[in-house]
Amino acid sequence: MFELLFTSFPVIIRYFQLKRRGEAMTVWNMRTAVFTWAGLAFLLFFLIFYFHPKSYSGVVPFRTVSVVAQSAGPVTELNVRNGQRVAAGDLLFRIENSSQVAALMQAEAQLGTLAAASIKAEDSLKVARASVAQIQATLDEQIIDLSDAQTLLDRNVGSQDAVQKLDAAVKVSQAQLQAAQAQVHLAETDIAETIPAQIKSAEAAIASAQASLDKTEVRSFSPGLVTQLTLGVGSPASTLILSPAMMIIPDRPEGLPVRFVAGFSQVARATLYEGMPAEIACDSNANFSFRNSALPARVAFIQPAISTGQVMPGGKLLDPNNLKERGSLLVYFELEYPEHEKEVIDGAGCIIQTYTNNLSGTSGHVIAATGVIKAVGLRLKLWGALISGVGLAGGGGH
């Protein structure tokens, strides 16, 4: 509409010329003015729509966190409600945990048994060492007695039977000493290796049992707002990601700027550039005072790939004929002034109008000036959305 009005001056001038001359206005004497008007309108349309592309698909993207249980069972305690804010680590709900508690108690009892076994092994080591010392003393005495008996026998004073009995006693004591030393070694092995390994195994069993018990307590991993809570005390907790117990809309990390995304026609790739100025008008920001209704922004990033060309392995070969619908060019925008971020609602639908201002020379200034028409049109669109009450409806990028 504005383009037609701004380029209609040849027709208006010709009309007043004919009126001043007193001639009737006909198709023949208006042909030059009409063709001039059509040419100027086409040129202006081209300049405006090519160098100042617009998208109706703008949106403020945000993340959601699906909350599912890691352990199956009925819910015994529910600690949140819809619309409640939670912090990281807050308890959301508990699941019936009698089997997990029993497993933990059993593992702890096993560790206690091993602690007692360690004390017993220490006592066994002391007894075994004392036995070794006692047998060694007896053996030393028997060796001396055997030596004396052998000396007497050599002097034809002693008897052969006494020597044989003492020799047999020495051999028995030596065997007993070896057995006692083996008991010492066995006790030392139990204390140094066997029991510590068993204790580590028991501690691992306790950690595993504690982890299983912890899974019966579902906590929030990020601060945010609870929504779509479908859980109640007594209902079974779902472990399927496709059937979450609730959703959490996490708070935006501090220092992370709000970004808008929009899809533009692929032919706009030659015009769009990073740093390009833009205006963003969202349904959620429209108001009668027009305060913060059209927010200044800039292009932050242009995705270097079109989503419809994505190829993933599957059971069928890719057929390009199935991709007749052209994908859009994904563009990210950031607000020019950070204080406007608090005015934006996550998920809001927006119209995004861009303006080319990077061309030099007179033609560049003229093209940049034509952006005023698009800016006026954007505000008329806002006004119409308020009057009609249907929002910033539209379709397609231009």
Side-chain angles (χ1 to χ4, degrees):
M1 179 63 70
F2 280 103
E3 293 85 350
L4 296 176
L5 291 176
F6 285 140
T7 56
S8 62
F9 64 89
V11 175
I12 297 174
I13 294 173
R14 182 58 176 168
Y15 168 75
F16 282 107
Q17 284 179 346
L18 294 175
K19 186 177 181 180
R20 187 174 61 251
R21 295 174 186 174
E23 299 179 13
M25 187 172 63
T26 65
V27 174
W28 181 255
N29 59 22
M30 288 291 294
R31 67 185 186 280
T32 303
V34 171
F35 280 119
T36 303
W37 172 48
L40 290 175
F42 174 80
L43 178 61
L44 189 59
F45 269 102
F46 174 78
L47 291 178
I48 291 175
F49 286 97
Y50 180 77
F51 288 101
H52 309 295
K54 176 169 55 177
S55 174
Y56 289 89
S57 62
V59 69
V60 185
F62 65 99
R63 298 182 300 112
T64 59
V65 177
S66 299
V67 179
V68 296
Q70 299 184 60
S71 177
V75 175
T76 59
E77 181 182 341
L78 183 62
N79 298 84
V80 293
R81 63 182 183 275
N82 274 319
Q84 178 179 335
R85 298 199 64 83
V86 293
D90 282 357
L91 179 64
L92 303 177
F93 60 91
R94 282 193 176 94
I95 302 170
E96 199 280 326
N97 60 5
S98 58
S99 60
Q100 289 85 354
V101 171
L104 179 60
M105 292 176 63
Q106 182 179 1
E108 290 175 343
Q110 180 66 26
L111 182 61
T113 301
L114 291 173
S118 178
I119 297 174
K120 183 178 178 180
E122 292 283 354
D123 293 338
S124 298
L125 178 61
K126 293 178 181 179
V127 172
R129 286 174 175 173
S131 179
V132 167
Q134 181 181 0
I135 295 173
Q136 184 66 57
T138 301
L139 178 61
D140 293 342
E141 184 179 353
Q142 289 174 342
I143 291 174
I144 294 173
D145 291 342
L146 177 60
S147 177
D148 292 341
Q150 186 65 46
T151 301
L152 292 175
L153 179 62
D154 293 340
R155 294 177 181 178
N156 295 323
V157 178
S159 65
Q160 184 67 32
D161 292 341
V163 172
Q164 291 177 349
K165 289 180 179 180
L166 288 171
D167 183 62
V170 167
K171 292 179 179 179
V172 170
S173 295
Q174 288 175 340
Q176 291 176 345
L177 179 62
Q178 291 178 354
Q181 289 174 340
Q183 290 294 326
V184 171
H185 179 71
L186 179 62
E188 290 175 343
T189 302
D190 286 342
I191 293 173
E193 299 179 10
T194 305
I195 294 179
Q198 292 175 342
I199 289 176
K200 288 182 179 179
S201 178
E203 290 174 344
I206 290 176
S208 177
Q210 184 64 55
S212 297
L213 180 60
D214 291 341
K215 289 180 180 179
T216 63
E217 294 185 349
V218 180
R219 298 179 179 273
S220 174
F221 284 90
S222 62
L225 184 72
V226 175
T227 185
Q228 295 186 16
L229 173 62
T230 60
L231 209 61
V233 175
S235 60
S238 173
T239 58
L240 300 176
I241 191 64
L242 297 178
S243 181
M246 67 187 73
M247 303 288 288
I248 294 179
I249 302 175
D251 296 336
R252 191 178 298 274
E254 187 176 354
L256 182 67
V258 175
R259 275 194 169 183
F260 298 75
V261 296
F264 286 81
S265 172
Q266 295 183 33
V267 298
R269 181 64 183 90
T271 306
L272 295 169
Y273 58 92
E274 293 186 5
M276 185 178 192
E279 285 187 311
I280 299 176
C282 301
D283 285 321
S284 59
N285 291 59
N287 56 80
F288 279 111
S289 67
F290 286 96
R291 178 179 175 81
N292 295 327
S293 291
L295 303 175
R298 288 191 180 274
V299 174
F301 174 71
I302 301 174
Q303 183 171 281
I306 307 298
S307 60
T308 53
Q310 183 180 5
V311 177
M312 295 181 292
K316 295 182 180 180
L317 293 177
L318 177 67
D319 186 353
N321 284 331
N322 295 329
L323 304 176
K324 293 179 180 178
E325 183 179 354
R326 297 292 188 237
S328 59
L329 186 68
L330 186 61
V331 184
Y332 293 81
F333 295 84
E334 290 183 4
L335 294 175
E336 187 75 14
Y337 304 106
E339 58 267 24
H340 287 160
E341 292 183 357
K342 63 179 181 296
E343 306 291 339
V344 179
I345 297 178
D346 288 341
C350 310
I351 294 178
I352 298 183
Q353 175 65 61
T354 60
Y355 304 99
T356 296
N357 69 344
N358 65 334
L359 301 178
S360 59
T362 303
S363 60
H365 294 306
V366 171
I367 290 172
T370 58
V372 175
I373 299 176
K374 299 296 285 185
V376 173
L378 178 63
R379 283 152 180 81
L380 286 177
K381 185 74 174 177
L382 278 168
W383 180 81
L386 289 173
I387 296 301
S388 63
V390 297
L392 297 172
H398 298 283

